[in-house]
């Protein structure tokens, strides 16, 4: 359990170290409240994370074993074809492992870099033949079961698609690594929500806007929270996109969040502090209805804000 908690903590940090304002101009990160605020340039690089043995790559954070070749199928496959492709790999015995499977959404998203694009993988990664497009996961969408989750390896978007659509296949092996969905994971403590899986505290109360705001207003709202006498001294911030994703329960929908979070509209989305490197006028957002991860135009008041520490 301690090892799992440590991994959960590590995977709620992004590798983003540069900051951009709402107009997409690069700015100094110090004191900005953005995701890159206070980070070193080489944070979470892949240089010491991955161990290569023959044609496999072990992620030493999660224990998941990836095939070094990210383009084994050579062309996109439908979801059921992707499952059959992996089964055939195991039957043929032509690879170093007979335990290959499609990665879960959580496993594939754990590889995503929010500092790099095309591919959106950590600096120094050892993978080859990465297609800068969509890859299937094994995870079905709870709200729409005839759809499954996929991840865009060019930029990092996480969305769902019909299972008859065609996307790329990247097999994994080793122990399955999933989010912690145990009962009573979240506890309300003095007006805050304590996540026992990551150790983080969340604030969703009345001192933050109860309506959708722009990205900059979200940053400012959390800055004001830090000046509130009742909540000062805690260094609240707008969560990065990995922290928001850590809240998602893929077995729930409408919303895909624990009931302790007051989501009055299942269509609501939440701003992250993480800028889209693909287009810096946009920031990453989490959609509450089923946990999709996309982007929002920073100047528009389209999403809500919650705070984390």
């Amino acid at each position: 359990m301690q090892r799992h908690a440590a991994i959960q903590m590590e995977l709620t940090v992004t590798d983003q170290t540069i900051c951009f304002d709402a107009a997409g101009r690069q700015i100094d990160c110090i004191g900005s409240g953005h995701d890159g605020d206070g980070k070193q340039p080489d944070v979470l690089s892949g240089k010491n994370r991955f161990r290569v043995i023959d044609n496999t790559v072990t992620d030493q954070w999660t224990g998941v074993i990836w095939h070094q070749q990210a383009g084994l199928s050579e062309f996109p496959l439908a979801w059921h074809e992707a499952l059959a492709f992996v089964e055939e790999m195991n039957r043929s015995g032509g690879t170093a492992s007979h335990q290959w499977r499609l990665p879960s959404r959580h496993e594939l998203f754990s590889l995503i870099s929010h500092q790099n694009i095309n591919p959106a993988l950590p600096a120094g990664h050892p993978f080859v033949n990465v297609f800068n497009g969509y890859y299937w996961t094994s995870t079905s969408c709870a709200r729409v079961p005839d759809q499954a989750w996929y991840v865009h390896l060019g930029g990092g978007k996480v969305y769902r698609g019909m299972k008859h659509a065609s996307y790329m296949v990247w097999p994994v092996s080793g122990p399955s690594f999933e989010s912690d969905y145990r009962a009573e994971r979240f506890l309300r403590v003095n007006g805050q929500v304590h996540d026992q899986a990551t150790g983080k505290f969340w604030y969703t109360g009345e001192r933050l806007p109860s309506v959708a705001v722009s990205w900059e207003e979200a940053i400012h709202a959390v800055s004001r929270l830090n000046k509130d006498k009742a909540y000062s001294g805690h260094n609240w911030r707008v969560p990065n996109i990995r922290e928001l994703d850590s809240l998602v329960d893929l077995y729930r929908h409408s919303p895909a969040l624990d009931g302790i979070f007051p989501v009055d509209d299942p269509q609501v989305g939440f701003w992250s502090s993480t800028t889209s490197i693909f287009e810096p006028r946009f920031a990453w957002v989490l959609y509450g209805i089923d946990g999709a991860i996309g982007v929002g135009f920073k100047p528009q008041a389209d999403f809500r804000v919650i705070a984390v520490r």
Side-chain angles (χ1 to χ4, degrees):
M1 181 64 73
Q2 288 182 340
R3 168 61 177 161
H4 191 276
I7 293 171
Q8 289 279 5
M9 281 290 290
E10 205 155 43
L11 292 179
T12 57
V13 179
T14 80
D15 58 350
Q16 190 163 107
T17 59
I18 52 179
C19 300
F20 299 86
D21 65 14
R25 297 177 296 236
Q26 187 168 348
I27 62 171
D28 189 345
C29 284
I30 297 175
S32 66
H34 299 187
D35 189 1
D37 192 354
K39 288 183 183 174
Q40 297 299 315
D42 61 347
V43 65
L44 301 187
S45 77
K47 294 177 182 177
N48 300 313
R49 174 177 173 179
F50 302 110
R51 181 165 54 92
V52 181
I53 301 178
D54 296 327
N55 59 356
T56 67
V57 178
T58 299
D59 184 340
Q60 297 184 102
W61 288 2
T62 64
V64 174
I65 301 170
W66 297 85
H67 204 289
Q68 190 173 20
Q69 291 276 350
L72 285 176
S73 65
E74 297 184 352
F75 51 86
L77 301 173
W79 190 71
H80 292 96
E81 292 173 334
L83 295 174
F85 178 84
V86 175
E87 289 178 3
E88 179 57 31
M89 284 179 61
N90 292 328
R91 280 196 298 269
S92 67
T95 60
S97 171
H98 292 215
Q99 304 293 323
W100 295 107
R101 54 185 169 78
L102 279 185
S104 68
R105 168 183 149 155
H106 190 61
E107 289 169 332
L108 189 51
F109 186 62
S110 74
L111 287 185
I112 291 296
S113 165
H114 293 93
Q115 178 75 8
N116 306 306
I117 58 173
N118 294 327
L121 291 174
H125 74 83
F127 303 108
V128 296
N129 295 330
V130 180
F131 173 64
N132 296 326
Y134 291 111
Y135 279 78
W136 279 121
T137 78
S138 63
T139 309
S140 294
C141 177
R143 185 170 68 89
V144 191
D146 57 356
Q147 298 185 7
W149 291 100
Y150 53 72
V151 178
H152 192 271
L153 265 292
K157 179 181 178 181
V158 180
Y159 210 66
R160 49 183 167 72
M162 298 298 294
K163 292 178 177 177
H164 59 69
S166 297
Y167 302 113
M168 294 297 286
V169 181
W170 193 352
V172 297
S173 185
S176 177
F177 179 75
E178 294 300 325
S179 290
D180 187 343
Y181 298 132
R182 70 178 184 269
E184 306 301 328
R185 170 181 164 181
F186 299 101
L187 299 176
R188 190 168 295 282
V189 181
N190 297 327
Q192 305 166 43
V193 176
H194 181 216
D195 182 350
Q196 298 183 95
T198 65
K200 296 180 185 292
F201 287 83
W202 295 83
Y203 180 77
T204 62
E206 61 185 11
R207 288 176 171 82
L208 290 176
S210 60
V211 296
V213 296
S214 70
W215 187 71
E216 285 194 327
E217 176 52 30
I219 300 289
H220 295 326
V222 174
S223 178
R224 291 193 296 270
L225 179 65
N226 282 317
K227 298 174 183 176
D228 189 300
K229 290 183 179 179
Y231 292 92
S232 62
H234 288 312
N235 192 28
W236 294 101
R237 32 186 192 81
V238 176
N240 68 52
I241 193 59
R242 287 199 176 282
E243 289 171 319
L244 284 176
D245 179 66
S246 75
L247 300 179
V248 174
D249 185 340
L250 292 171
Y251 297 100
R252 295 174 179 258
H253 65 86
S254 308
L257 301 173
D258 190 280
I260 201 168
F261 291 92
V263 179
D264 51 6
D265 178 0
Q267 297 286 349
V268 72
F270 299 97
W271 285 114
S272 79
S273 61
T274 311
T275 288
S276 167
I277 300 299
F278 231 112
E279 170 46 271
R281 295 177 300 165
F282 289 74
W284 289 103
V285 296
L286 177 77
Y287 292 89
I289 189 168
D290 51 20
I293 294 174
V295 294
F297 187 47
K298 290 178 178 178
Q300 291 185 186
D302 287 340
F303 301 100
R304 296 274 297 274
V305 58
I306 55 179
V308 69
R309 65 175 177 87

